[in-house]
Amino acid sequence: ISTASYYWLKWIAAIMMICGYVATVMFTPLKMPDTLFLYLKVIGEIAFPLFVFLLVECYHYNESKLKHFIRIMLIAYISEIPYDYVMYGKLLYAEKQNPCITLVLCYLMLFIINGNFKKDYQKIYKPKFIASTASAFTKLILVTLIGILTYIIDCEYSWYALVLTALLEFSRRRKHTKYLFQFLSFIVFALMTFREFGINFGCLFALIPMFIEQYRYSHENNKNIKPLAEALTSKPSIYI
């Protein structure tokens, strides 16, 4: 996707996330109607899978992956205090971690999945088959350890987020069936995180802007959205 599409989708995800948290935090104080609460929660479910999609795309288009990783990690730990206070009424609540920390671990997994361990193992093992097997086994062990870590520290979405990240990473490598695999990835994620009333299936609505922006990027740039794209990618918008 283009830079303009990236920030456009990020804005959508941010707004959807706010809707979800407003429903969670304000349901009791505002005596929110059950129907409105349900609608806002469904809208909120769009946010996280969209952020994961952007994380995967950004990993491949970002020249300084390490700096981006550090930036995400700083945001994760800075946001932990307000997240704990709003959600649990405490400045620090170690029993639950915010979704940004989950994204940090997802990004770390992308490092591992795309790492060139095979080249290092070829220095030790001359047969390519052995080097390839050792590389795949190493990646599997490291990804499994990250999955265990998400479960131990109780990250939001836990290891399900890692599965979604891996599936979207696999999907972007499919030239002709990318949209199909992205759709199936979201279905799998919704089934894994199934909750009451199936509100988590709201994540499927994230596919609409995703598909539109990917399709638009694969064709000629639309001049009609250029002013909007410039506004969304301006420094004040990025900081917000």
Side-chain angles (χ1 to χ4, degrees):
I1 59 175
S2 66
T3 302
S5 296
Y6 172 79
Y7 286 109
W8 171 240
L9 291 174
K10 186 184 283 186
W11 271 96
I12 293 175
I15 293 171
M16 300 300 102
M17 177 184 66
I18 291 171
C19 290
Y21 282 123
V22 165
T24 301
V25 176
M26 299 298 181
F27 176 66
T28 302
L30 295 181
K31 297 181 180 179
M32 189 180 294
D34 292 343
T35 305
L36 178 59
F37 171 79
L38 190 61
Y39 284 149
L40 289 176
K41 289 298 290 182
V42 170
I43 292 173
E45 293 297 322
I46 297 173
F48 186 78
L50 201 51
F51 277 126
V52 173
F53 167 74
L54 293 173
L55 191 76
V56 173
E57 290 296 314
C58 190
Y59 175 85
H60 291 281
Y61 288 103
N62 199 315
E63 295 181 358
S64 181
K65 294 178 174 55
L66 181 59
K67 287 183 179 179
H68 191 225
F69 174 74
I70 294 172
R71 190 159 58 244
I72 297 172
M73 189 164 57
L74 287 174
I75 292 172
Y77 283 103
I78 291 171
S79 62
E80 182 66 20
I81 293 177
Y83 175 84
D84 288 345
Y85 183 76
V86 171
M87 298 297 291
Y88 306 106
K90 298 179 180 180
L91 290 178
L92 289 174
Y93 186 75
E95 296 181 16
K96 191 75 175 180
Q97 313 305 322
N98 76 73
C100 290
I101 293 180
T102 309
L103 291 176
V104 169
L105 295 175
C106 289
Y107 200 79
L108 182 60
M109 187 187 73
L110 288 172
F111 271 116
I112 296 170
I113 292 176
N114 293 282
N116 191 7
F117 295 100
K118 182 179 177 181
K119 184 178 180 181
D120 296 326
Y121 277 115
Q122 282 179 336
K123 297 177 181 178
I124 304 173
Y125 306 106
K126 291 184 178 180
K128 292 184 178 180
F129 173 75
I130 296 177
S132 299
T133 304
S135 174
F137 188 67
T138 301
K139 290 181 179 181
L140 179 62
I141 291 176
L142 292 176
V143 169
T144 301
L145 289 175
I146 294 176
I148 294 172
L149 179 61
T150 62
Y151 181 79
I152 291 175
I153 65 177
D154 199 5
C155 288
E156 189 78 20
Y157 295 102
S158 189
W159 57 272
Y160 307 128
L162 299 179
V163 174
L164 178 62
T165 304
L167 290 174
L168 289 176
E169 171 68 18
F170 175 80
S171 299
R172 77 180 308 278
R173 301 178 185 182
R174 310 277 76 79
K175 185 176 181 180
H176 301 293
T177 55
K178 178 172 67 175
Y179 296 135
L180 173 61
F181 277 101
Q182 286 176 345
F183 173 75
L184 294 175
S185 300
F186 275 53
I187 289 290
V188 170
F189 180 72
L191 290 172
M192 288 191 303
T193 58
F194 186 82
R195 293 195 293 278
E196 191 177 7
F197 302 116
I199 60 174
N200 51 300
F201 277 89
C203 70
L204 298 179
F205 289 107
L207 292 168
I208 298 174
M210 275 175 53
F211 287 168
I212 291 174
E213 290 302 315
Q214 288 178 98
Y215 178 81
R216 189 176 64 82
Y217 180 66
S218 63
H219 294 71
E220 292 183 0
N221 292 329
N222 189 339
K223 295 181 180 179
N224 294 326
I225 67 162
K226 190 174 181 180
L228 176 61
E230 290 176 351
L232 289 172
T233 56
S234 63
K235 284 188 177 180
S237 298
I238 293 171
Y239 290 142
I240 291 173

